[in-house]
Amino acid sequence: MDRFLSCDWGTSSFRLRLVDADSLRVIAEEKSSTGIAETFQQWQQTASSREQFYAAVINRHVAAMETQLNISLAKIPVILSGMASSSIGMKELPYKTLPFQLDGSDLSVQTAGNMIIISGATTGQDVMRGEETKIVGCAALLPDTHREQLLILPGTHAKHVTIRGGQAKDFRTFMTGEFFELLSARSVLTASVKGDGNFNEQASRRAFEAGVEAGGSVNLLHAAFLVRTNDVLKKMPPQENYFYLSGLLIGAELREAQAGAPVYLAGGPQHLPLYTAACETLHIAVEGRIDADEALVRGQHIVWTHLQR
């Protein structure tokens, strides 16, 4: 096969990409807000097979892509990462217990027709689904996976992954993105922040850096209330306060990474500028930055290649 379909199915979103297998160039893309959670709820209202119901959702997106491109995509492999292998996914698969090989050769994988489902990974105390595939893709872009290094994947549930000896040895999850959503939208801090500012403005950057410094050194439960006092005492307008809160939480996360192995960041355009700036503020040397979407597609291709051998 010279092409494959890359499916990234998260809790609240769905993305399908048609990928050229040689260059890993994305040829076409379909997106939806119908994530695994909503799909699971819809399936519970039916009497159909769970796998068949989820496959039908995927095939509707494939059909839309066929119409868009005016080609047939019949029998092309669909490689699924993310929540597709979870308890509310297409088929629940057991986690791969760490360590796992960075070439993806020992990840838990199952096939259902032309659909290939990649399972998550666990340390025994922590879990991930989807990031394991990105880690494999990132590792293929690192200059040396045998020395110890820290791979940071920002997001709703950020992951700090320890790489050593060609394996993913350990990881820790930080609820940075989810805490930001809760505090900025559903707490007493909501009225004190506004997300319509510009990070590239000097004042916003200074507010973010102040938050990072506080998060890296001050008790977070106390520092979070400073977002409120910044507003009440007119120390900071809501647009800048938004970035202060963001910096505060990212700084609290990154205090765990301030000493030790070299750091690589793997994220998208929303997170990479923030994490890069936060690392600079905390004097954490970042050796490289990797696009998370590219890492996912590359990781899926690597796992698929192993299955064909």
Side-chain angles (χ1 to χ4, degrees), residues 46-83:
T46 74
S48 64
S49 155
R50 181 159 143 187
E51 282 188 40
Q52 290 177 352
F53 185 87
Y54 281 63
V57 173
I58 295 170
N59 287 329
R60 284 197 294 272
H61 288 281
V62 174
M65 191 176 287
E66 289 178 322
T67 300
Q68 173 192 342
L69 299 174
N70 194 27
I71 61 173
S72 172
L73 298 175
K75 298 183 180 180
I76 287 183
V78 183
I79 308 173
L80 294 93
S81 297
M83 295 298 288

PDB file of all heavy atoms in Angstrom, residues 46-83:
ATOM      1  N   THR A  46     -28.238   2.227  20.635  1.00  0.00           N
ATOM      2  CA  THR A  46     -28.520   1.291  19.548  1.00  0.00           C
ATOM      3  C   THR A  46     -28.371  -0.144  20.032  1.00  0.00           C
ATOM      4  O   THR A  46     -27.927  -0.399  21.156  1.00  0.00           O
ATOM      5  CB  THR A  46     -27.541   1.508  18.369  1.00  0.00           C
ATOM      6  OG1 THR A  46     -26.247   0.999  18.719  1.00  0.00           O
ATOM      7  CG2 THR A  46     -27.437   2.989  18.022  1.00  0.00           C
ATOM      8  N   ALA A  47     -28.726  -1.065  19.146  1.00  0.00           N
ATOM      9  CA  ALA A  47     -28.553  -2.489  19.438  1.00  0.00           C
ATOM     10  C   ALA A  47     -27.469  -3.092  18.563  1.00  0.00           C
ATOM     11  O   ALA A  47     -27.310  -4.314  18.502  1.00  0.00           O
ATOM     12  CB  ALA A  47     -29.874  -3.229  19.210  1.00  0.00           C
ATOM     13  N   SER A  48     -26.697  -2.261  17.899  1.00  0.00           N
ATOM     14  CA  SER A  48     -25.697  -2.738  16.945  1.00  0.00           C
ATOM     15  C   SER A  48     -24.404  -3.116  17.653  1.00  0.00           C
ATOM     16  O   SER A  48     -24.165  -2.750  18.806  1.00  0.00           O
ATOM     17  CB  SER A  48     -25.421  -1.670  15.895  1.00  0.00           C
ATOM     18  OG  SER A  48     -24.854  -0.531  16.494  1.00  0.00           O
ATOM     19  N   SER A  49     -23.572  -3.868  16.937  1.00  0.00           N
ATOM     20  CA  SER A  49     -22.237  -4.202  17.432  1.00  0.00           C
ATOM     21  C   SER A  49     -21.430  -2.924  17.634  1.00  0.00           C
ATOM     22  O   SER A  49     -21.474  -2.017  16.804  1.00  0.00           O
ATOM     23  CB  SER A  49     -21.536  -5.111  16.417  1.00  0.00           C
ATOM     24  OG  SER A  49     -20.142  -5.021  16.521  1.00  0.00           O
ATOM     25  N   ARG A  50     -20.700  -2.886  18.723  1.00  0.00           N
ATOM     26  CA  ARG A  50     -19.908  -1.695  19.016  1.00  0.00           C
ATOM     27  C   ARG A  50     -18.863  -1.449  17.928  1.00  0.00           C
ATOM     28  O   ARG A  50     -18.725  -0.329  17.432  1.00  0.00           O
ATOM     29  CB  ARG A  50     -19.247  -1.853  20.378  1.00  0.00           C
ATOM     30  CG  ARG A  50     -18.410  -0.667  20.832  1.00  0.00           C
ATOM     31  CD  ARG A  50     -18.261  -0.718  22.331  1.00  0.00           C
ATOM     32  NE  ARG A  50     -16.953  -0.286  22.786  1.00  0.00           N
ATOM     33  CZ  ARG A  50     -16.537  -0.372  24.045  1.00  0.00           C
ATOM     34  NH1 ARG A  50     -17.319  -0.915  24.955  1.00  0.00           N
ATOM     35  NH2 ARG A  50     -15.357   0.056  24.399  1.00  0.00           N
ATOM     36  N   GLU A  51     -18.124  -2.488  17.562  1.00  0.00           N
ATOM     37  CA  GLU A  51     -17.097  -2.316  16.535  1.00  0.00           C
ATOM     38  C   GLU A  51     -17.721  -1.851  15.223  1.00  0.00           C
ATOM     39  O   GLU A  51     -17.172  -0.974  14.544  1.00  0.00           O
ATOM     40  CB  GLU A  51     -16.335  -3.624  16.322  1.00  0.00           C
ATOM     41  CG  GLU A  51     -15.300  -3.917  17.396  1.00  0.00           C
ATOM     42  CD  GLU A  51     -14.436  -5.114  17.054  1.00  0.00           C
ATOM     43  OE1 GLU A  51     -14.066  -5.259  15.873  1.00  0.00           O
ATOM     44  OE2 GLU A  51     -14.143  -5.908  17.961  1.00  0.00           O
ATOM     45  N   GLN A  52     -18.847  -2.438  14.851  1.00  0.00           N
ATOM     46  CA  GLN A  52     -19.488  -2.066  13.592  1.00  0.00           C
ATOM     47  C   GLN A  52     -19.989  -0.627  13.627  1.00  0.00           C
ATOM     48  O   GLN A  52     -19.892   0.100  12.632  1.00  0.00           O
ATOM     49  CB  GLN A  52     -20.638  -3.019  13.285  1.00  0.00           C
ATOM     50  CG  GLN A  52     -20.194  -4.423  12.919  1.00  0.00           C
ATOM     51  CD  GLN A  52     -21.360  -5.368  12.700  1.00  0.00           C
ATOM     52  OE1 GLN A  52     -22.523  -5.035  12.955  1.00  0.00           O
ATOM     53  NE2 GLN A  52     -21.056  -6.568  12.209  1.00  0.00           N
ATOM     54  N   PHE A  53     -20.502  -0.211  14.777  1.00  0.00           N
ATOM     55  CA  PHE A  53     -21.010   1.158  14.906  1.00  0.00           C
ATOM     56  C   PHE A  53     -19.868   2.163  14.748  1.00  0.00           C
ATOM     57  O   PHE A  53     -19.981   3.147  14.016  1.00  0.00           O
ATOM     58  CB  PHE A  53     -21.682   1.340  16.272  1.00  0.00           C
ATOM     59  CG  PHE A  53     -22.328   2.682  16.450  1.00  0.00           C
ATOM     60  CD1 PHE A  53     -23.626   2.909  16.037  1.00  0.00           C
ATOM     61  CD2 PHE A  53     -21.627   3.743  17.033  1.00  0.00           C
ATOM     62  CE1 PHE A  53     -24.230   4.157  16.190  1.00  0.00           C
ATOM     63  CE2 PHE A  53     -22.210   4.995  17.192  1.00  0.00           C
ATOM     64  CZ  PHE A  53     -23.525   5.192  16.778  1.00  0.00           C
ATOM     65  N   TYR A  54     -18.756   1.908  15.435  1.00  0.00           N
ATOM     66  CA  TYR A  54     -17.610   2.811  15.340  1.00  0.00           C
ATOM     67  C   TYR A  54     -17.013   2.786  13.935  1.00  0.00           C
ATOM     68  O   TYR A  54     -16.605   3.826  13.396  1.00  0.00           O
ATOM     69  CB  TYR A  54     -16.547   2.429  16.370  1.00  0.00           C
ATOM     70  CG  TYR A  54     -16.841   2.911  17.773  1.00  0.00           C
ATOM     71  CD1 TYR A  54     -17.962   2.465  18.473  1.00  0.00           C
ATOM     72  CD2 TYR A  54     -16.000   3.809  18.407  1.00  0.00           C
ATOM     73  CE1 TYR A  54     -18.234   2.890  19.760  1.00  0.00           C
ATOM     74  CE2 TYR A  54     -16.259   4.245  19.703  1.00  0.00           C
ATOM     75  CZ  TYR A  54     -17.375   3.785  20.375  1.00  0.00           C
ATOM     76  OH  TYR A  54     -17.642   4.223  21.643  1.00  0.00           O
ATOM     77  N   ALA A  55     -16.961   1.596  13.338  1.00  0.00           N
ATOM     78  CA  ALA A  55     -16.440   1.490  11.976  1.00  0.00           C
ATOM     79  C   ALA A  55     -17.296   2.296  11.005  1.00  0.00           C
ATOM     80  O   ALA A  55     -16.775   2.917  10.066  1.00  0.00           O
ATOM     81  CB  ALA A  55     -16.381   0.030  11.546  1.00  0.00           C
ATOM     82  N   ALA A  56     -18.604   2.306  11.237  1.00  0.00           N
ATOM     83  CA  ALA A  56     -19.504   3.066  10.364  1.00  0.00           C
ATOM     84  C   ALA A  56     -19.222   4.564  10.465  1.00  0.00           C
ATOM     85  O   ALA A  56     -19.296   5.292   9.465  1.00  0.00           O
ATOM     86  CB  ALA A  56     -20.959   2.769  10.736  1.00  0.00           C
ATOM     87  N   VAL A  57     -18.893   5.029  11.667  1.00  0.00           N
ATOM     88  CA  VAL A  57     -18.533   6.448  11.842  1.00  0.00           C
ATOM     89  C   VAL A  57     -17.285   6.766  11.016  1.00  0.00           C
ATOM     90  O   VAL A  57     -17.231   7.762  10.291  1.00  0.00           O
ATOM     91  CB  VAL A  57     -18.290   6.769  13.329  1.00  0.00           C
ATOM     92  CG1 VAL A  57     -17.751   8.189  13.491  1.00  0.00           C
ATOM     93  CG2 VAL A  57     -19.577   6.590  14.130  1.00  0.00           C
ATOM     94  N   ILE A  58     -16.286   5.906  11.123  1.00  0.00           N
ATOM     95  CA  ILE A  58     -15.052   6.119  10.365  1.00  0.00           C
ATOM     96  C   ILE A  58     -15.332   6.092   8.867  1.00  0.00           C
ATOM     97  O   ILE A  58     -14.859   6.944   8.109  1.00  0.00           O
ATOM     98  CB  ILE A  58     -14.011   5.041  10.729  1.00  0.00           C
ATOM     99  CG1 ILE A  58     -13.598   5.177  12.204  1.00  0.00           C
ATOM    100  CG2 ILE A  58     -12.775   5.142   9.830  1.00  0.00           C
ATOM    101  CD1 ILE A  58     -12.771   4.020  12.726  1.00  0.00           C
ATOM    102  N   ASN A  59     -16.128   5.109   8.442  1.00  0.00           N
ATOM    103  CA  ASN A  59     -16.393   4.950   7.013  1.00  0.00           C
ATOM    104  C   ASN A  59     -17.172   6.128   6.428  1.00  0.00           C
ATOM    105  O   ASN A  59     -17.022   6.433   5.241  1.00  0.00           O
ATOM    106  CB  ASN A  59     -17.121   3.632   6.756  1.00  0.00           C
ATOM    107  CG  ASN A  59     -16.201   2.432   6.910  1.00  0.00           C
ATOM    108  OD1 ASN A  59     -15.003   2.520   6.651  1.00  0.00           O
ATOM    109  ND2 ASN A  59     -16.746   1.299   7.348  1.00  0.00           N
ATOM    110  N   ARG A  60     -17.973   6.796   7.254  1.00  0.00           N
ATOM    111  CA  ARG A  60     -18.670   7.996   6.762  1.00  0.00           C
ATOM    112  C   ARG A  60     -17.659   9.099   6.446  1.00  0.00           C
ATOM    113  O   ARG A  60     -17.793   9.823   5.459  1.00  0.00           O
ATOM    114  CB  ARG A  60     -19.694   8.484   7.793  1.00  0.00           C
ATOM    115  CG  ARG A  60     -20.962   7.651   7.836  1.00  0.00           C
ATOM    116  CD  ARG A  60     -22.094   8.385   8.534  1.00  0.00           C
ATOM    117  NE  ARG A  60     -21.838   8.603   9.949  1.00  0.00           N
ATOM    118  CZ  ARG A  60     -22.150   7.732  10.903  1.00  0.00           C
ATOM    119  NH1 ARG A  60     -22.707   6.562  10.593  1.00  0.00           N
ATOM    120  NH2 ARG A  60     -21.905   8.007  12.170  1.00  0.00           N
ATOM    121  N   HIS A  61     -16.645   9.221   7.280  1.00  0.00           N
ATOM    122  CA  HIS A  61     -15.596  10.206   7.008  1.00  0.00           C
ATOM    123  C   HIS A  61     -14.758   9.802   5.792  1.00  0.00           C
ATOM    124  O   HIS A  61     -14.345  10.658   5.006  1.00  0.00           O
ATOM    125  CB  HIS A  61     -14.702  10.363   8.240  1.00  0.00           C
ATOM    126  CG  HIS A  61     -15.349  11.093   9.366  1.00  0.00           C
ATOM    127  ND1 HIS A  61     -15.462  12.464   9.400  1.00  0.00           N
ATOM    128  CD2 HIS A  61     -15.936  10.645  10.506  1.00  0.00           C
ATOM    129  CE1 HIS A  61     -16.076  12.838  10.513  1.00  0.00           C
ATOM    130  NE2 HIS A  61     -16.368  11.752  11.201  1.00  0.00           N
ATOM    131  N   VAL A  62     -14.522   8.501   5.654  1.00  0.00           N
ATOM    132  CA  VAL A  62     -13.790   8.016   4.482  1.00  0.00           C
ATOM    133  C   VAL A  62     -14.584   8.322   3.216  1.00  0.00           C
ATOM    134  O   VAL A  62     -14.017   8.775   2.206  1.00  0.00           O
ATOM    135  CB  VAL A  62     -13.522   6.505   4.593  1.00  0.00           C
ATOM    136  CG1 VAL A  62     -12.892   5.976   3.298  1.00  0.00           C
ATOM    137  CG2 VAL A  62     -12.597   6.207   5.781  1.00  0.00           C
ATOM    138  N   ALA A  63     -15.901   8.104   3.267  1.00  0.00           N
ATOM    139  CA  ALA A  63     -16.752   8.377   2.105  1.00  0.00           C
ATOM    140  C   ALA A  63     -16.724   9.862   1.738  1.00  0.00           C
ATOM    141  O   ALA A  63     -16.687  10.221   0.555  1.00  0.00           O
ATOM    142  CB  ALA A  63     -18.182   7.927   2.393  1.00  0.00           C
ATOM    143  N   ALA A  64     -16.719  10.721   2.770  1.00  0.00           N
ATOM    144  CA  ALA A  64     -16.647  12.168   2.503  1.00  0.00           C
ATOM    145  C   ALA A  64     -15.330  12.528   1.840  1.00  0.00           C
ATOM    146  O   ALA A  64     -15.280  13.382   0.945  1.00  0.00           O
ATOM    147  CB  ALA A  64     -16.822  12.942   3.813  1.00  0.00           C
ATOM    148  N   MET A  65     -14.263  11.857   2.262  1.00  0.00           N
ATOM    149  CA  MET A  65     -12.956  12.113   1.672  1.00  0.00           C
ATOM    150  C   MET A  65     -12.908  11.603   0.227  1.00  0.00           C
ATOM    151  O   MET A  65     -12.314  12.238  -0.655  1.00  0.00           O
ATOM    152  CB  MET A  65     -11.868  11.448   2.518  1.00  0.00           C
ATOM    153  CG  MET A  65     -10.460  11.856   2.160  1.00  0.00           C
ATOM    154  SD  MET A  65      -9.235  11.117   3.283  1.00  0.00           S
ATOM    155  CE  MET A  65      -9.511  12.090   4.783  1.00  0.00           C
ATOM    156  N   GLU A  66     -13.533  10.463  -0.029  1.00  0.00           N
ATOM    157  CA  GLU A  66     -13.603   9.935  -1.393  1.00  0.00           C
ATOM    158  C   GLU A  66     -14.315  10.914  -2.323  1.00  0.00           C
ATOM    159  O   GLU A  66     -13.882  11.148  -3.460  1.00  0.00           O
ATOM    160  CB  GLU A  66     -14.326   8.591  -1.405  1.00  0.00           C
ATOM    161  CG  GLU A  66     -13.531   7.451  -0.794  1.00  0.00           C
ATOM    162  CD  GLU A  66     -14.299   6.141  -0.781  1.00  0.00           C
ATOM    163  OE1 GLU A  66     -15.529   6.182  -0.545  1.00  0.00           O
ATOM    164  OE2 GLU A  66     -13.687   5.075  -0.994  1.00  0.00           O
ATOM    165  N   THR A  67     -15.408  11.494  -1.809  1.00  0.00           N
ATOM    166  CA  THR A  67     -16.153  12.478  -2.599  1.00  0.00           C
ATOM    167  C   THR A  67     -15.298  13.714  -2.861  1.00  0.00           C
ATOM    168  O   THR A  67     -15.270  14.254  -3.968  1.00  0.00           O
ATOM    169  CB  THR A  67     -17.438  12.875  -1.868  1.00  0.00           C
ATOM    170  OG1 THR A  67     -18.253  11.707  -1.673  1.00  0.00           O
ATOM    171  CG2 THR A  67     -18.223  13.916  -2.656  1.00  0.00           C
ATOM    172  N   GLN A  68     -14.586  14.150  -1.827  1.00  0.00           N
ATOM    173  CA  GLN A  68     -13.729  15.335  -1.945  1.00  0.00           C
ATOM    174  C   GLN A  68     -12.643  15.137  -2.995  1.00  0.00           C
ATOM    175  O   GLN A  68     -12.348  16.039  -3.790  1.00  0.00           O
ATOM    176  CB  GLN A  68     -13.094  15.637  -0.589  1.00  0.00           C
ATOM    177  CG  GLN A  68     -12.041  16.735  -0.597  1.00  0.00           C
ATOM    178  CD  GLN A  68     -11.238  16.780   0.707  1.00  0.00           C
ATOM    179  OE1 GLN A  68     -11.659  16.243   1.727  1.00  0.00           O
ATOM    180  NE2 GLN A  68     -10.085  17.399   0.681  1.00  0.00           N
ATOM    181  N   LEU A  69     -12.045  13.935  -3.013  1.00  0.00           N
ATOM    182  CA  LEU A  69     -10.911  13.665  -3.903  1.00  0.00           C
ATOM    183  C   LEU A  69     -11.312  12.997  -5.213  1.00  0.00           C
ATOM    184  O   LEU A  69     -10.491  12.884  -6.128  1.00  0.00           O
ATOM    185  CB  LEU A  69      -9.892  12.782  -3.182  1.00  0.00           C
ATOM    186  CG  LEU A  69      -9.263  13.356  -1.905  1.00  0.00           C
ATOM    187  CD1 LEU A  69      -8.398  12.298  -1.226  1.00  0.00           C
ATOM    188  CD2 LEU A  69      -8.442  14.594  -2.216  1.00  0.00           C
ATOM    189  N   ASN A  70     -12.559  12.493  -5.249  1.00  0.00           N
ATOM    190  CA  ASN A  70     -13.057  11.760  -6.414  1.00  0.00           C
ATOM    191  C   ASN A  70     -12.203  10.525  -6.701  1.00  0.00           C
ATOM    192  O   ASN A  70     -11.805  10.256  -7.842  1.00  0.00           O
ATOM    193  CB  ASN A  70     -13.105  12.664  -7.660  1.00  0.00           C
ATOM    194  CG  ASN A  70     -13.931  12.053  -8.776  1.00  0.00           C
ATOM    195  OD1 ASN A  70     -14.850  11.266  -8.530  1.00  0.00           O
ATOM    196  ND2 ASN A  70     -13.598  12.393 -10.019  1.00  0.00           N
ATOM    197  N   ILE A  71     -11.895   9.779  -5.634  1.00  0.00           N
ATOM    198  CA  ILE A  71     -11.147   8.534  -5.757  1.00  0.00           C
ATOM    199  C   ILE A  71     -11.766   7.497  -4.821  1.00  0.00           C
ATOM    200  O   ILE A  71     -12.570   7.827  -3.944  1.00  0.00           O
ATOM    201  CB  ILE A  71      -9.654   8.713  -5.392  1.00  0.00           C
ATOM    202  CG1 ILE A  71      -9.519   9.185  -3.928  1.00  0.00           C
ATOM    203  CG2 ILE A  71      -8.961   9.655  -6.347  1.00  0.00           C
ATOM    204  CD1 ILE A  71      -8.080   9.223  -3.434  1.00  0.00           C
ATOM    205  N   SER A  72     -11.375   6.232  -5.001  1.00  0.00           N
ATOM    206  CA  SER A  72     -11.802   5.180  -4.097  1.00  0.00           C
ATOM    207  C   SER A  72     -10.720   4.925  -3.048  1.00  0.00           C
ATOM    208  O   SER A  72      -9.530   4.850  -3.378  1.00  0.00           O
ATOM    209  CB  SER A  72     -12.068   3.881  -4.867  1.00  0.00           C
ATOM    210  OG  SER A  72     -12.306   2.809  -3.968  1.00  0.00           O
ATOM    211  N   LEU A  73     -11.156   4.801  -1.796  1.00  0.00           N
ATOM    212  CA  LEU A  73     -10.230   4.499  -0.703  1.00  0.00           C
ATOM    213  C   LEU A  73     -10.545   3.141  -0.081  1.00  0.00           C
ATOM    214  O   LEU A  73     -10.176   2.870   1.061  1.00  0.00           O
ATOM    215  CB  LEU A  73     -10.307   5.595   0.363  1.00  0.00           C
ATOM    216  CG  LEU A  73      -9.916   7.001  -0.105  1.00  0.00           C
ATOM    217  CD1 LEU A  73     -10.159   8.029   0.997  1.00  0.00           C
ATOM    218  CD2 LEU A  73      -8.457   7.045  -0.555  1.00  0.00           C
ATOM    219  N   ALA A  74     -11.207   2.286  -0.851  1.00  0.00           N
ATOM    220  CA  ALA A  74     -11.581   0.962  -0.359  1.00  0.00           C
ATOM    221  C   ALA A  74     -10.346   0.152   0.013  1.00  0.00           C
ATOM    222  O   ALA A  74      -9.344   0.149  -0.708  1.00  0.00           O
ATOM    223  CB  ALA A  74     -12.391   0.224  -1.417  1.00  0.00           C
ATOM    224  N   LYS A  75     -10.410  -0.501   1.146  1.00  0.00           N
ATOM    225  CA  LYS A  75      -9.386  -1.422   1.650  1.00  0.00           C
ATOM    226  C   LYS A  75      -8.080  -0.746   2.073  1.00  0.00           C
ATOM    227  O   LYS A  75      -7.128  -1.427   2.460  1.00  0.00           O
ATOM    228  CB  LYS A  75      -9.093  -2.517   0.620  1.00  0.00           C
ATOM    229  CG  LYS A  75     -10.296  -3.401   0.309  1.00  0.00           C
ATOM    230  CD  LYS A  75      -9.935  -4.510  -0.658  1.00  0.00           C
ATOM    231  CE  LYS A  75     -11.147  -5.389  -0.953  1.00  0.00           C
ATOM    232  NZ  LYS A  75     -10.818  -6.476  -1.904  1.00  0.00           N
ATOM    233  N   ILE A  76      -8.015   0.574   2.001  1.00  0.00           N
ATOM    234  CA  ILE A  76      -6.815   1.255   2.482  1.00  0.00           C
ATOM    235  C   ILE A  76      -6.755   1.122   4.010  1.00  0.00           C
ATOM    236  O   ILE A  76      -7.763   1.327   4.699  1.00  0.00           O
ATOM    237  CB  ILE A  76      -6.814   2.734   2.057  1.00  0.00           C
ATOM    238  CG1 ILE A  76      -6.517   2.837   0.560  1.00  0.00           C
ATOM    239  CG2 ILE A  76      -5.770   3.543   2.832  1.00  0.00           C
ATOM    240  CD1 ILE A  76      -6.416   4.241   0.038  1.00  0.00           C
ATOM    241  N   PRO A  77      -5.608   0.791   4.581  1.00  0.00           N
ATOM    242  CA  PRO A  77      -5.507   0.633   6.041  1.00  0.00           C
ATOM    243  C   PRO A  77      -5.872   1.917   6.785  1.00  0.00           C
ATOM    244  O   PRO A  77      -5.469   3.011   6.389  1.00  0.00           O
ATOM    245  CB  PRO A  77      -4.034   0.279   6.257  1.00  0.00           C
ATOM    246  CG  PRO A  77      -3.558  -0.225   4.945  1.00  0.00           C
ATOM    247  CD  PRO A  77      -4.334   0.497   3.906  1.00  0.00           C
ATOM    248  N   VAL A  78      -6.635   1.762   7.852  1.00  0.00           N
ATOM    249  CA  VAL A  78      -6.974   2.869   8.749  1.00  0.00           C
ATOM    250  C   VAL A  78      -6.264   2.596  10.073  1.00  0.00           C
ATOM    251  O   VAL A  78      -6.555   1.605  10.735  1.00  0.00           O
ATOM    252  CB  VAL A  78      -8.491   2.979   8.975  1.00  0.00           C
ATOM    253  CG1 VAL A  78      -8.809   4.188   9.861  1.00  0.00           C
ATOM    254  CG2 VAL A  78      -9.239   3.074   7.646  1.00  0.00           C
ATOM    255  N   ILE A  79      -5.346   3.461  10.447  1.00  0.00           N
ATOM    256  CA  ILE A  79      -4.562   3.257  11.671  1.00  0.00           C
ATOM    257  C   ILE A  79      -5.084   4.206  12.737  1.00  0.00           C
ATOM    258  O   ILE A  79      -5.067   5.429  12.561  1.00  0.00           O
ATOM    259  CB  ILE A  79      -3.065   3.491  11.412  1.00  0.00           C
ATOM    260  CG1 ILE A  79      -2.612   2.644  10.211  1.00  0.00           C
ATOM    261  CG2 ILE A  79      -2.251   3.155  12.654  1.00  0.00           C
ATOM    262  CD1 ILE A  79      -1.203   2.918   9.762  1.00  0.00           C
ATOM    263  N   LEU A  80      -5.573   3.648  13.838  1.00  0.00           N
ATOM    264  CA  LEU A  80      -6.236   4.423  14.877  1.00  0.00           C
ATOM    265  C   LEU A  80      -5.374   4.547  16.116  1.00  0.00           C
ATOM    266  O   LEU A  80      -4.852   3.549  16.629  1.00  0.00           O
ATOM    267  CB  LEU A  80      -7.571   3.788  15.267  1.00  0.00           C
ATOM    268  CG  LEU A  80      -8.676   3.762  14.213  1.00  0.00           C
ATOM    269  CD1 LEU A  80      -8.637   2.447  13.439  1.00  0.00           C
ATOM    270  CD2 LEU A  80     -10.036   3.925  14.859  1.00  0.00           C
ATOM    271  N   SER A  81      -5.247   5.786  16.602  1.00  0.00           N
ATOM    272  CA  SER A  81      -4.582   6.051  17.877  1.00  0.00           C
ATOM    273  C   SER A  81      -5.544   6.830  18.768  1.00  0.00           C
ATOM    274  O   SER A  81      -6.572   7.314  18.323  1.00  0.00           O
ATOM    275  CB  SER A  81      -3.313   6.884  17.666  1.00  0.00           C
ATOM    276  OG  SER A  81      -2.372   6.203  16.891  1.00  0.00           O
ATOM    277  N   GLY A  82      -5.161   6.967  20.032  1.00  0.00           N
ATOM    278  CA  GLY A  82      -5.975   7.764  20.948  1.00  0.00           C
ATOM    279  C   GLY A  82      -6.966   6.910  21.708  1.00  0.00           C
ATOM    280  O   GLY A  82      -6.676   5.771  22.087  1.00  0.00           O
ATOM    281  N   MET A  83      -8.168   7.434  21.883  1.00  0.00           N
ATOM    282  CA  MET A  83      -9.163   6.783  22.733  1.00  0.00           C
ATOM    283  C   MET A  83      -9.914   5.652  22.045  1.00  0.00           C
ATOM    284  O   MET A  83     -10.811   5.058  22.628  1.00  0.00           O
ATOM    285  CB  MET A  83     -10.149   7.833  23.228  1.00  0.00           C
ATOM    286  CG  MET A  83      -9.540   8.883  24.135  1.00  0.00           C
ATOM    287  SD  MET A  83      -8.863   8.175  25.650  1.00  0.00           S
ATOM    288  CE  MET A  83     -10.395   7.773  26.514  1.00  0.00           C
TER     289      MET A  83
END
